[in-house]
Amino acid sequence: MTSPLIRGRPRRAASQISVRVAHALVGGIAGVVWLVLPWMTINHDVPVPATRAAPSAPSAAAAQQDETSATDLVLPLVAVAVVGALAGYGYVRRTRRARTRTTPGGAVAPAGPAAGPLSEDDERARAALVEADDCVRTSREELGFAEAQCGADAVEPFALAVRDAGSELSAAFRMRQQYDDGVPEDETSRRHALAGIVGRCREAGRRLDAEAPAFDLLRAPAQGNPDTALEPGEIRFRELTGRTAAAETTLAGATGRYGPSATAAVTGHVEQAKDRLVFATVRFNQAHQRRDMGDAEGAARHLRAAEGATAQAAALVTCVERLAADLTAAAELVPAALTGAEAELAAAKTSDTALPSGELHALAGHADLVLAAVREEVTAGPYDPLDALRKITAALAPVATGRAGALPVGALLAARSAVALADGFVAAHRGALGSAARTRLAEAERLLAAEPPHPQAADALARQALALAEQDVRIYGNPIAGAAEHASGAAGAVVGGILLGGGPDGGPPASFGGPLTRARRAKPPG
């Protein structure tokens, strides 16, 4: 819907123009009347000779007549001159106002983004979402290291800033999802929606930028004594090294038990986690070297990059561990889900439903076939138990009556697993991702957290988000050329958004804060 302010401007402009035109017409008519009136009042009758009794009267009358005629001619000319002067002043005044006007009015085309193609506003909104999401995710990661260093009470103001920024970002993602779904429909409202997305993202960045200087001060003691920050980061690094080795064994076991298709979503995660740990090792060593040289600022910069790599390695390993646990839980749930589905289907066949009998018969027949196929997969093995739960719940959704027992539990398990996998992949590859995958993931998270939750829709969106993210990474390709950069893990750090890019070494590290903080960090130290 068009804003009342925008709708009102053309009407006011049109009414003002009409009044000016009316004034000009009245002035012109008055001038014409003044010109014509003297000739309309001239007496054309034959003059009557005057008596000679008053010889001085004719000369006085003639003088008076000459004076009246002159006056009748001068006054209209003066009136016309005044009208012309007023009209000229009004024209000059309107011209100056039109040149200096800062808000659209009348027939003047609006300036700014709204004057360009809608695609330009769309690209601006996409870029704002990507930037805001990167800032929120990076700030949340560094907040965890700051809490380990300084304690939960010390970081509470910054945790609040991250939560506030996350709320703004969630609202922006929700608006973007609605926009992608075609809501609103008219172009003007869609422009307003895109402007709203940009505004929300800017507010998220502003909230983080406002707290960034104080956050730097919180961690400033580490610059005077870098060991206070290096120690917690290196402890987490050592713990993660052990988890990565265990995850490799866990993944191999899950693949052998459930088949390659069941673990395809985390294929390569262990290798990427190792790559991040290599990068973290290099940056921890550089942080120690800078500390020994007395370069506290350089030590803090390398420490920040090492912490980011450690956090992403943890996200990748967690995905492997989570998927293996979810597959085990799903395998235990599948038999109960099959039994519950068959009971639901039998009840649906004998109960009164709103579905026509023919449609109900077709849906029930399809569900029977799906359940039989799942039972065959379970018997033959190996099979993907999460995929089996998805097939069962999808087949029973149109005809289920009570929706009790193992079916809703299985739907939630599959949805939560899909959302976790997509979130981990986005977190570890955000430097290469656009807005589409992030938007679908945010919507999946919203649907899963709703009351009541919508697990099937959330599951579908999360898997779509993962597919889009994987496609973005393939398109992004290799961000850094050179074998040394790959050996040091710098290329993976750029893909992960740990480094901001822009240099042969991957550029400066990302940190707590919004876009202004990022721009400040990106400047080379001088």
Side-chain angles (χ1 to χ4, degrees), residues 10-382:
R11 294 195 184 103
R12 287 200 298 271
S15 63
Q16 292 170 0
I17 294 173
S18 301
V19 170
R20 292 174 186 146
V21 171
H23 287 172
L25 288 175
V26 170
I29 293 172
V32 172
V33 170
W34 277 102
L35 287 171
V36 175
L37 186 61
W39 281 272
M40 294 177 62
T41 57
I42 294 176
N43 187 2
H44 297 281
D45 295 338
V46 178
V48 179
T51 62
R52 302 182 66 87
S56 61
S59 59
Q64 184 178 2
Q65 183 177 359
D66 292 339
E67 182 180 353
T68 301
S69 300
T71 301
D72 290 341
L73 291 173
V74 169
L75 286 177
L77 294 175
V78 172
V80 171
V82 170
V83 170
L86 290 174
Y89 171 76
Y91 173 79
V92 172
R93 187 165 177 262
R94 288 195 303 272
T95 302
R96 289 178 178 174
R97 287 173 59 188
R99 289 175 180 173
T100 59
R101 181 179 294 144
T102 58
T103 57
V108 180
L118 189 62
S119 59
E120 294 180 0
D121 294 351
D122 186 23
E123 287 301 319
R124 191 178 296 108
R126 290 176 183 272
L129 283 169
V130 170
E131 183 177 53
D133 190 46
D134 284 347
C135 290
V136 170
R137 287 179 178 274
T138 301
S139 298
R140 189 180 292 125
E141 287 176 358
E142 191 172 358
L143 186 67
F145 287 96
E147 182 175 349
Q149 173 191 342
C150 307
D153 293 339
V155 302
E156 179 56 32
F158 311 108
L160 177 61
V162 172
R163 288 195 295 270
D164 291 345
S167 297
E168 293 289 342
L169 180 61
S170 296
F173 274 130
R174 176 59 181 149
M175 295 170 67
R176 181 70 215 195
Q177 182 64 45
Q178 291 176 326
Y179 183 92
D180 291 343
D181 291 339
V183 179
E185 296 182 356
D186 64 282
E187 181 175 335
T188 300
S189 298
R190 289 177 75 78
R191 286 188 187 276
H192 284 304
L194 293 173
I197 292 170
V198 173
R200 291 279 192 175
C201 292
R202 286 177 178 172
E203 178 58 23
R206 186 203 64 77
R207 187 72 176 89
L208 295 174
D209 279 326
E211 297 295 336
F215 186 84
D216 290 342
L217 290 176
L218 176 69
R219 304 200 75 185
Q223 296 185 9
N225 182 16
D227 288 337
T228 61
L230 280 168
E231 185 176 355
E234 289 179 327
I235 290 175
R236 290 186 64 178
F237 171 82
R238 287 191 290 271
E239 292 175 349
L240 189 57
T241 301
R243 282 179 59 195
T244 303
E248 190 168 18
T249 303
T250 300
L251 179 59
T255 302
R257 188 176 303 112
Y258 304 112
S261 62
T263 58
V266 295
T267 299
H269 276 40
V270 173
E271 287 73 19
Q272 291 181 55
K274 292 178 180 179
D275 183 72
R276 300 296 193 277
L277 291 177
V278 169
F279 178 79
T281 300
V282 172
R283 290 306 176 111
F284 274 126
N285 290 336
Q286 290 175 336
H288 280 286
Q289 293 171 3
R290 294 286 183 172
R291 178 202 60 182
D292 296 340
M293 294 168 56
D295 182 4
E297 184 178 352
R301 187 167 59 253
H302 289 298
L303 173 60
R304 188 178 294 116
E307 290 174 341
T310 304
Q312 288 197 5
L316 291 164
V317 170
T318 299
C319 284
V320 175
E321 297 170 339
R322 172 69 182 264
L323 178 59
D326 289 342
L327 287 171
T328 301
E332 295 173 353
L333 189 59
V334 165
L338 282 169
T339 302
E342 290 169 348
E344 286 274 4
L345 188 56
K349 291 177 180 178
T350 58
S351 64
D352 294 331
T353 66
L355 295 174
S357 59
E359 183 178 354
L360 176 61
H361 179 73
L363 292 172
H366 172 72
D368 278 329
L369 292 175
V370 171
L371 295 180
V374 171
R375 281 197 177 277
E376 185 177 348
E377 289 179 3
V378 172
T379 303

Side-chain angles (χ1 to χ4, degrees), residues 381-407:
Y383 75 103
D384 182 350
L386 285 170
D387 185 59
L389 288 177
R390 291 186 179 102
K391 291 176 180 177
I392 295 170
T393 55
L396 267 292
V399 297
T401 55
R403 302 296 291 156
L407 289 178

Side-chain angles (χ1 to χ4, degrees), residues 495-513:
V495 171
I498 301 166
L499 300 179
L500 299 178
D505 60 347
S511 63
F512 185 102

